[in-house]
Amino acid sequence: MELSAKYNPSEVEDKWYAYWLKNKFFHSEPDAREPYTIVIPPPNVTGILHMGHVLNNTLNDVLIRKARMDGKNACWIPGTDHASIATENKVVAKLKGMGISKEDLTREEFLKYAWEWKEEHGGIILQQLRKLGASCDWDRTRFTMEPELTEAVINTFVYFYKKGWIYRGVRMVNWDPEGHTAVSDDEVIHRDTQSHFYHMRYFISDGNGNPTDKYIVVATTRPETIMADAAVCVNPADERHKWLHGKKVLIPLINKEIPIIEDSYVEMDFGTGCLKVTPAHDVNDYEIGLRHNLPVLNIIDDHGRLTEEAQILVGEDRFVAREKIAKMLQEAGNIEKIEDYISPIGYSERTNAVIEPRLSAQWFLKMDELSECALASVEDGFIKFIPDKYRNTYRHWMENAHDWCISRQLWWGQRIPAYYLPDGSFVVENSFEKALEAAKKINPAITAEDLHQDEDVLDTWFSSWLWPISVFDPQMPGQPDHKPNSDLAYYYPTNDLVTGPDIIFFWVARMIMAGNEFMNDVPFHNVYFTGIVRDKLGRKMSKTLGNSPNPLDLIEKYGADAVRLGMLLCSSAGSDILYDESQVEQGRNFCGKIWNSWRLVSGWNVDENAAQPAAAAEAVKWFDNLLSRTIVTVEDHYSKFRISDALMATYKLFWDDYCSWYLELVKPAYGEAIDGATYKATVCFFEKLLKLIHPIMPFITEELWQAMAERKEGETIMFQSTPKAGEYDNEFIAQFELAQQIIVGVRGVRAQKQISPREALSLCIEGSLLPELLPVITKSANISEFVQSTEGPAVNFIVGTIKVSVPLAGFVNADEEKAKILAELEHQRKFLAGVRGKLGNANFVAHAPANVVAVERKKESDALARIEALEASLAALQ
RNA sequence: GGGAGCUUAGCUCAGUUGGUUUAGAGCGUCUGCCUUACAAGCAGAGGGUCGGGGGUUCGACUCCCUCAGCUCCCACCA
């Protein structure tokens, strides 16, 4: 088959992806083979492909294709996440564009729009992944909010509730007084803001609610909250405030008596060392309140106005109240001083309103037992993190895990299956019917109209933590007595998970918990953490910076294989990736190199009767050995998830060794034919190289593999087995490397001196280079013949134990040469002394592992040989 | 403030119980080449006292201490 002069990825990629799909090559069903399973980290259903996805899914695809070629039953489950907050925001924005406000809609109406939107725009990203070559089992595509998986989520909630691990509690949330909604921590932007620091006098009570003349000074930025104070807190170690212990103070203006309490949370050297504790309006104060059993008094409403509870300034906006109360305090003589102060204030990302910390009822899942077990899975080695450093992070978090707040004040998501009776009590069941039944047991008079389901939905992670289980058998989560279906039994646990370290707690840890709880087994064995993709200046990819390339444009321009390779080139696990388009160019160049190498080989005329030249025979032998050795290296890299190392080893084997050395050595002279034996070997090597690189570059390898021989319909490189390493002779490879160094040396001499080979070069090699490699040197260095003796000055190289002498009148400075050799001799002798010192240590010889001692002995003998060779060259120089 | 990690060539990074690497790779740079697969290429070359200082050792990029700079995670200071 005639190849076009240039590789054209866009022509090739669609063709082969369609071919793979048509033949169902990606699809997996349980069979007798060993499974290799990956579940995709489900992208947001509303998401579009960005560079982070490219990195993550390329790695996943490399692993899955490698496993497939290794003969495993490879299954990669794709799917999307309903991503409640992100999706709901997008739908709200879309509706706003249509002139519809969310507040004007009922829940049902809103959800109707949301589903329409999901059907229309959702899942684009899955189509985009195909452009990248992702070999997902599309027949198994899942969505976290599809009916079956929703059922799994609801069952899980009911299960944990009945187990007593889910409870309703009060928690501080970020309240947006303009949007009238709680927002997540991620949606709060902290900005340093100019404000004031009010130093106020709180008078000590005489015990009957009357002020004495003694007072303490408390500093705050929020004087409008003093009416909600529950205590004043000092550090127990603070000598200045020892006299206060057990006393009570009066809140200014309203003269309410509150206790002095002690807590080490208070910093002694900040402010006055006295902290007013306002549990309802500050997160930390709330925590202190819990520890000291303080009452919680809420004086700010949904709109940020003071309530009746405040007693004064009722109905005023919090900021107006702040000004007014400052004035009142001043007039009442309670202000010591007011300082200018800059403090970080949280603003709502959406409305830019100042966030008000506010207590609200939420649902929680207890973490103590779940996290203990999940920690053990990693600590005991059932799950490995790559890189290992994340174990520390993981341990630290798991040991301090807070209970998981699983409720969200949104509509898009799985609605919490708690049903309230008119009296405020509630029942938890997985359906309305069951809930009604349960409610009737409490109160037989209850009717369907009386029962109201909780308005909140569940945190998105409460569905994605079930992902490795629910994608196979949605009946399983929440029902540990259920017998796993055949898919779950076969594919679970999955093998590897590739994800970002930013969701180690949100997702990875919780999947481990769910796996332990419902399957009694970990959900995966290895977690490969990628880095964050940044631009080449190290900045995060962002829309506003405009530094985030569209992966589809890149694929269009360079080809998917080039993009994959470019992404992998710089992707050592865990460290951030500084993306640079030049890496993708490198990928494209590599495609061109592969393409052209086959153009060369496929264009040769073969003469079956021709004798194999000596240089070609040695080249074949060498490359065969090197290929085997590289395969071993590559396998080792893969086993340690060093994907970029595996790639680089293959890249160099293909480009440097195969193209630059091997092909040049076996290439027939212009117009001549190649002998049959060499040709056969060359084609065989090429096919093995294609298979080796296929997991990384699926398209070009399929194209060339199909082009290099007649293939039948249904055949594919995807299911060819990974080339196996044969026996290889390290000594021979080393000898060949010496020959290569000699060649490079000779070329260097010629380049520096600008002389032609014929003009001056004759070469003398002394030492122990295999004589059969001489033709290799002759051919590659373009030397007509060797001369056995030299006359006059010469260029001398020492390559390993071989002395190479290139005679050249007036070229080399013998003194320099001598000095070099002497310096190396000194180093070698010193080194030898060290090694001998170690070997002379009886302790070392007796206790070190045998192979370590053997290495030392080898070093000793090598050093001796080297010294001998150097001494010989020195003598020869003189 | 608590925790983790990083600092090696112009850039991005390897460096595997301290030793045959008196420091490696890719890219970039420089020099010479349109040589009949490939100029998206070929053949060469240069480039680092391994962040600073100290210690242990026959020997330190590697282990210990210390200082400096950077990054991330958590908690954020009334």
Side-chain angles (χ1 to χ4, degrees):
Chain A
M1 180 175 152
E2 189 73 17
L3 288 191
S4 61
K6 288 230 187 286
Y7 173 56
N8 186 344
S10 48
E11 259 174 33
V12 165
E13 291 171 358
D14 289 346
K15 176 178 74 182
W16 292 119
Y17 204 89
Y19 177 74
W20 295 333
L21 281 181
K22 187 180 93 191
N23 285 285
K24 291 198 166 290
F25 289 153
F26 303 155
H27 185 62
S28 163
E29 287 294 335
D31 62 22
R33 288 174 296 166
E34 183 190 341
Y36 177 87
T37 319
I38 291 181
V39 291
I40 202 169
N44 289 357
V45 67
T46 62
I48 51 164
L49 196 70
H50 59 62
M51 297 308 283
H53 295 125
V54 171
L55 172 67
N56 181 281
N57 289 290
T58 299
L59 284 164
N60 272 319
D61 197 48
V62 168
L63 294 176
I64 208 88
R65 284 181 185 270
K66 174 77 170 59
R68 201 176 277 129
M69 292 178 82
D70 284 344
K72 305 214 176 105
N73 186 351
C75 184
W76 181 12
I77 307 284
T80 48
D81 190 304
H82 65 277
S84 48
I85 296 172
T87 307
E88 181 149 332
N89 281 348
K90 289 205 175 174
V91 175
V92 167
K94 170 88 187 292
L95 290 172
K96 202 174 176 184
M98 293 159 59
I100 302 171
S101 153
K102 184 186 161 189
E103 281 75 36
D104 301 337
L105 298 175
T106 64
R107 187 179 190 118
E108 285 66 33
E109 285 166 344
F110 178 83
L111 286 176
K112 191 165 159 279
Y113 280 115
W115 276 106
E116 274 172 14
W117 197 84
K118 184 255 165 188
E119 294 308 323
E120 197 178 331
H121 303 285
I124 291 175
I125 192 162
L126 297 183
Q127 293 302 320
Q128 294 177 320
L129 283 177
R130 299 177 184 216
K131 288 276 174 201
L132 193 63
S135 58
C136 303
D137 187 348
W138 299 109
D139 299 340
R140 294 178 175 273
T141 305
R142 289 287 194 179
F143 173 53
T144 52
M145 224 165 97
E146 69 183 64
E148 279 194 297
L149 300 203
T150 293
E151 205 176 306
V153 168
I154 299 304
N155 286 340
T156 300
F157 185 95
V158 175
Y159 166 82
F160 279 116
Y161 178 76
K162 301 212 160 153
K163 194 166 182 173
W165 287 7
I166 283 182
Y167 64 94
R168 236 166 110 73
V170 172
R171 187 182 123 133
M172 207 51 100
V173 295
N174 304 302
W175 186 257
D176 177 344
E178 281 182 32
H180 306 153
T181 175
V183 296
S184 72
D185 290 348
D186 306 329
E187 296 170 298
V188 178
I189 304 165
H190 289 272
R191 278 202 297 269
D192 281 344
T193 305
Q194 178 67 52
S195 64
H196 300 288
F197 209 25
Y198 302 85
H199 292 247
M200 303 170 299
R201 293 175 184 148
Y202 279 47
F203 285 88
I204 310 295
S205 166
D206 65 357
N208 299 315
N210 299 312
T212 62
D213 56 352
K214 290 208 174 75
Y215 65 87
I216 57 169
V217 177
V218 176
T220 183
T221 54
R222 301 200 60 189
E224 74 277 14
T225 64
I226 60 170
M227 293 78 78
D229 286 355
V232 167
C233 188
V234 296
N235 192 307
D238 196 334
E239 292 297 331
R240 295 171 300 171
H241 303 310
K242 278 264 152 76
W243 63 279
L244 287 168
H245 297 176
K247 298 237 173 8
K248 293 191 169 178
V249 294
L250 297 169
I251 297 177
L253 305 179
I254 60 171
N255 265 0
K256 182 178 166 191
E257 197 177 69
I258 53 172
I260 302 277
I261 58 168
E262 295 162 53
D263 196 291
S264 56
Y265 169 78
V266 179
E267 301 282 338
M268 290 187 277
D269 49 7
F270 186 85
T272 59
C274 297
L275 168 70
K276 72 187 210 49
V277 183
T278 321
H281 300 293
D282 184 279
V283 181
N284 296 301
D285 291 11
Y286 180 68
E287 298 284 327
I288 296 173
L290 285 183
R291 284 199 288 276
H292 296 271
N293 232 341
L294 297 176
V296 177
L297 184 64
N298 189 349
I299 61 163
I300 297 179
D301 70 9
D302 289 3
H303 296 81
R305 294 181 301 232
L306 296 195
T307 65
E308 297 281 343
E309 306 280 356
Q311 300 178 33
I312 51 174
L313 299 172
V314 173
E316 290 284 4
D317 177 80
R318 52 194 169 142
F319 297 113
V320 177
R322 182 176 304 170
E323 297 304 320
K324 289 193 174 171
I325 212 157
K327 207 169 162 214
M328 289 160 74
L329 286 168
Q330 195 105 48
E331 284 161 3
N334 284 94
I335 292 285
E336 177 103 351
K337 61 176 173 180
I338 300 176
E339 294 176 322
D340 284 340
Y341 186 68
I342 293 171
S343 62
I345 302 282
Y347 292 85
S348 167
E349 190 178 40
R350 276 187 268 165
T351 63
N352 205 32
V354 174
I355 291 295
E356 187 64 40
R358 190 160 185 271
L359 290 168
S360 68
Q362 304 286 341
W363 291 89
F364 291 87
L365 175 58
K366 280 190 193 169
M367 281 289 107
D368 38 9
E369 281 186 55
L370 286 170
S371 60
E372 194 181 320
C373 191
L375 176 60
S377 296
V378 173
E379 291 289 292
D380 298 346
F382 293 107
I383 295 175
K384 247 182 79 181
F385 285 172
I386 297 113
D388 193 46
K389 64 176 178 182
Y390 287 108
R391 257 178 57 185
N392 293 329
T393 318
Y394 183 80
R395 186 189 316 113
H396 187 251
W397 192 79
M398 295 306 264
E399 283 171 352
N400 301 292
H402 296 295
D403 285 353
W404 178 8
C405 178
I406 52 176
S407 46
R408 295 289 183 273
Q409 290 69 54
L410 299 164
W411 283 346
W412 178 249
Q414 282 104 2
R415 197 166 170 183
I416 289 175
Y419 299 83
Y420 296 89
L421 283 65
D423 68 354
S425 64
F426 61 87
V427 294
V428 171
E429 294 294 344
N430 62 9
S431 70
F432 184 82
E433 291 70 30
K434 281 193 196 167
L436 187 58
E437 211 173 290
K440 281 187 169 163
K441 280 182 192 156
I442 299 173
N443 178 356
I446 293 289
T447 65
E449 286 71 40
D450 298 329
L451 213 52
H452 290 291
Q453 187 172 1
D454 197 294
E455 293 294 326
D456 290 355
V457 299
L458 286 158
D459 182 9
T460 305
W461 301 108
F462 197 82
S463 56
S464 42
W465 74 323
L466 307 173
W467 190 246
I469 306 169
S470 59
V471 292
F472 297 113
D473 185 355
Q475 292 302 309
M476 186 71 207
Q479 310 204 50
D481 297 336
H482 170 77
K483 191 169 171 289
N485 69 12
S486 55
D487 276 357
L488 187 61
Y490 181 74
Y491 291 112
Y492 192 95
T494 69
N495 295 70
D496 304 327
L497 177 78
V498 179
T499 191
D502 47 332
I503 51 176
I504 182 170
F505 309 127
F506 288 137
W507 194 45
V508 178
R510 285 165 182 166
M511 280 192 288
I512 299 172
M513 294 174 189
N516 284 330
E517 183 71 20
F518 298 123
M519 298 300 293
N520 216 6
D521 195 358
V522 295
F524 31 70
H525 294 297
N526 300 290
V527 184
Y528 178 106
F529 289 107
T530 65
I532 296 165
V533 183
R534 298 168 176 277
D535 71 5
K536 64 177 169 183
L537 300 175
R539 301 172 303 183
K540 276 191 181 174
M541 297 276 179
S542 80
K543 279 180 202 155
T544 44
L545 277 176
N547 59 351
S548 176
N550 180 347
L552 294 180
D553 293 345
L554 284 179
I555 290 172
E556 182 67 35
K557 187 169 167 195
Y558 296 103
D561 290 333
V563 172
R564 292 165 64 112
L565 187 131
M567 220 53 228
L568 253 23
L569 269 175
C570 52
S571 64
S572 49
S575 52
D576 285 356
I577 284 84
L578 272 61
Y579 165 80
D580 186 349
E581 195 157 318
S582 72
Q583 290 151 0
V584 178
E585 280 176 30
Q586 198 183 339
R588 176 201 54 189
N589 297 352
F590 188 42
C591 286
K593 191 70 188 177
I594 295 173
W595 188 258
N596 281 310
S597 68
W598 180 247
R599 275 182 66 216
L600 172 69
V601 173
S602 63
W604 284 338
N605 291 319
V606 184
D607 178 356
E608 292 291 348
N609 298 319
Q612 187 176 38
E618 295 308 314
V620 168
K621 182 179 170 193
W622 164 70
F623 194 76
D624 190 46
N625 275 274
L626 188 66
L627 179 63
S628 283
R629 192 171 77 177
T630 308
I631 290 170
V632 171
T633 308
V634 167
E635 289 293 332
D636 183 56
H637 285 318
Y638 272 119
S639 74
K640 292 170 181 154
F641 292 90
R642 297 171 156 221
I643 312 294
S644 63
D645 287 348
L647 160 63
M648 195 44 73
T650 317
Y651 176 90
K652 283 198 271 196
L653 179 73
F654 211 135
W655 195 314
D656 298 347
D657 298 317
Y658 182 73
C659 294
S660 299
W661 281 102
Y662 175 81
L663 287 181
E664 293 300 330
L665 273 169
V666 302
K667 189 160 137 181
Y670 183 63
E672 288 177 22
I674 191 169
D675 66 279
T678 306
Y679 181 75
K680 213 175 137 198
T682 305
V683 171
C684 176
F685 290 150
F686 186 75
E687 184 172 4
K688 285 185 177 173
L689 288 169
L690 286 184
K691 290 175 190 170
L692 263 189
I693 202 79
H694 173 261
I696 291 162
M697 311 175 86
F699 292 111
I700 191 174
T701 47
E702 181 77 280
E703 171 73 11
L704 287 174
W705 187 82
Q706 298 279 353
M708 66 188 295
E710 282 297 316
R711 309 286 181 196
K712 296 190 197 71
E713 173 71 21
E715 279 190 306
T716 174
I717 191 171
M718 276 180 59
F719 284 110
Q720 302 303 306
S721 49
T722 308
K724 301 282 180 296
E727 293 286 315
Y728 60 91
D729 179 354
N730 258 326
E731 284 302 308
F732 182 75
I733 295 173
Q735 279 282 314
F736 197 92
E737 274 169 9
L738 286 181
Q740 287 176 311
Q741 285 177 43
I742 291 168
I743 292 161
V744 168
V746 172
R747 283 176 185 161
V749 170
R750 280 174 45 199
Q752 275 176 37
K753 275 295 166 187
Q754 302 285 313
I755 54 171
S756 79
R758 296 228 168 70
E759 185 184 347
L761 269 185
S762 54
L763 185 71
C764 177
I765 298 175
E766 296 168 13
S768 55
L769 185 74
L770 286 175
E772 54 263 44
L773 288 176
L774 293 179
V776 170
I777 294 173
T778 322
K779 170 154 191 188
S780 208
N782 194 13
I783 298 164
S784 48
E785 59 178 329
F786 288 96
V787 182
Q788 291 303 322
S789 64
T790 63
E791 305 253 333
V795 180
N796 297 297
F797 314 93
I798 299 208
V799 186
T801 55
I802 299 180
K803 188 185 139 198
V804 181
S805 178
V806 178
L808 270 179
F811 179 69
V812 86
N813 183 336
D815 288 344
E816 267 179 26
E817 231 13 64
K818 210 168 130 184
K820 262 191 192 168
I821 295 174
L822 281 173
E824 186 166 1
L825 257 180
E826 195 195 354
H827 169 73
Q828 292 294 337
R829 285 180 178 142
K830 219 170 133 193
F831 175 76
L832 181 65
V835 172
R836 284 190 163 156
K838 198 166 187 178
L839 284 168
N841 180 341
N843 237 349
F844 172 77
V845 177
H847 298 298
N851 58 331
V852 173
V853 177
V855 166
E856 292 299 318
R857 292 208 188 284
K858 173 89 164 49
K859 284 174 188 168
E860 186 189 24
S861 60
D862 285 356
L864 271 174
R866 183 105 183 190
I867 287 169
E868 218 171 280
L870 285 166
E871 279 170 342
S873 343
L874 198 60
L877 262 182
Q878 286 168 356

